[in-house]
């Protein structure tokens, strides 16, 4: 990243362009890394949108906002978050999840699915959360690009500025 790059240039260089490069790998092999980046960007976006960036991890305000924006119930969003976000961020791959009602949630990734997670009923005790990783990543990136106020809140105090240490300005 060049010294003096704008916040948007840093965002594009550090997140958007790497995700685009991952898309070039054959057979979707960059999908889990792209998903991981999209999920932490998702959390950062909705935490910025709800002014909860510096609140504890148990704060649900951002989940309520994300669920509403995704058109999901809060419970469905929480299941998506447990399966995809917690699995990917803690284990490198989505995980299975059993909720308090003994409903088992699994995951399925396919290019035919949507950007928004779909809770698909397999039977009375099993649901599959379907997602298109690339569309999801594009959806989250677009959120940042089209909402400058949230973008500023999300990254203005956390993106380091790249400096040229080769020049002596003293």
């Amino acid at each position: 990243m060049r010294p003096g790059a704008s916040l948007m240039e840093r965002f594009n260089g550090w997140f958007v362009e790497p995700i685009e490069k991952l898309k070039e790998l054959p057979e979707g092999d960059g999908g889990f890394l792209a998903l991981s980046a999209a999920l932490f960007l998702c959390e950062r976006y909705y935490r910025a949108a709800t002014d909860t960036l510096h609140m504890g991890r148990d704060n649900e305000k951002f989940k309520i906002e994300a669920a509403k924006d995704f058109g999901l119930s809060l419970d469905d969003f929480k299941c998506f978050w447990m399966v995809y976000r917690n699995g990917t961020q803690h284990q490198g791959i989505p995980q299975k999840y059993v909720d308090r009602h003994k409903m088992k949630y699994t995951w399925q990734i396919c290019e035919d699915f949507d950007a928004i997670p779909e809770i698909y009923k397999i039977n009375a005790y099993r649901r599959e959360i379907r997602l298109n990783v690339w569309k999801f990543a594009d959806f989250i990136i677009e959120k940042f690009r089209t909402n400058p106020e949230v973008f500023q809140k999300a990254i203005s105090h956390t993106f380091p500025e790249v400096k040229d240490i080769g020049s002596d300005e003293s």
Side-chain angles (χ1 to χ4, degrees):
M1 182 60 54
R2 69 174 174 76
S6 71
L7 292 174
M8 186 57 78
E9 287 171 327
R10 286 181 255 172
F11 176 75
N12 286 332
W14 293 338
F15 300 104
V16 178
E17 291 171 21
I19 288 171
E20 289 302 315
K21 281 291 189 193
L22 289 169
K23 288 178 181 178
E24 295 173 13
L25 293 173
E27 300 176 8
D29 285 347
F32 288 127
L33 288 178
L35 177 62
S36 181
L39 287 163
F40 69 68
L41 287 172
C42 177
E43 182 167 356
R44 179 159 285 283
Y45 179 85
Y46 287 103
R47 283 190 177 276
T50 58
D51 294 317
T52 59
L53 279 168
H54 304 294
M55 295 188 175
R57 68 181 182 99
D58 292 333
N59 183 288
E60 286 193 351
K61 195 173 179 184
F62 86 93
K63 292 177 185 173
I64 293 167
E65 181 65 23
K68 184 173 83 173
D69 199 31
F70 284 23
L72 298 173
S73 71
L74 181 57
D75 284 341
D76 283 349
F77 182 83
K78 286 180 180 180
C79 290
F80 160 71
W81 207 243
M82 288 296 295
V83 170
Y84 280 88
R85 189 272 183 195
N86 291 358
T88 302
Q89 301 301 79
H90 296 290
Q91 301 294 324
I93 193 165
Q95 67 182 359
K96 294 177 183 173
Y97 170 66
V98 179
D99 73 7
R100 66 183 186 276
H101 305 293
K102 307 290 186 229
M103 180 68 66
K104 182 178 183 179
Y105 291 84
T106 59
W107 56 277
Q108 184 68 255
I109 293 172
C110 180
E111 64 184 25
D112 294 332
F113 298 151
D114 250 338
I116 303 297
E118 175 194 0
I119 312 299
Y120 183 80
K121 182 179 178 179
I122 303 293
N123 59 39
Y125 300 101
R126 185 167 167 238
R127 302 290 185 270
E128 184 176 82
I129 305 176
R130 296 177 168 186
L131 187 68
N132 180 312
V133 170
W134 306 113
K135 288 179 184 177
F136 179 74
D138 291 344
F139 172 77
I140 296 301
I141 288 166
E142 194 61 20
K143 290 279 186 198
F144 280 94
R145 287 183 168 161
T146 59
N147 193 329
E149 182 181 327
V150 174
F151 178 81
Q152 282 296 122
K153 285 183 193 178
I155 56 118
S156 62
H157 298 295
T158 58
F159 270 21
E161 185 173 343
V162 175
K163 304 222 183 224
D164 183 1
I165 60 170
S167 65
D168 186 11
E169 297 179 14
S170 37

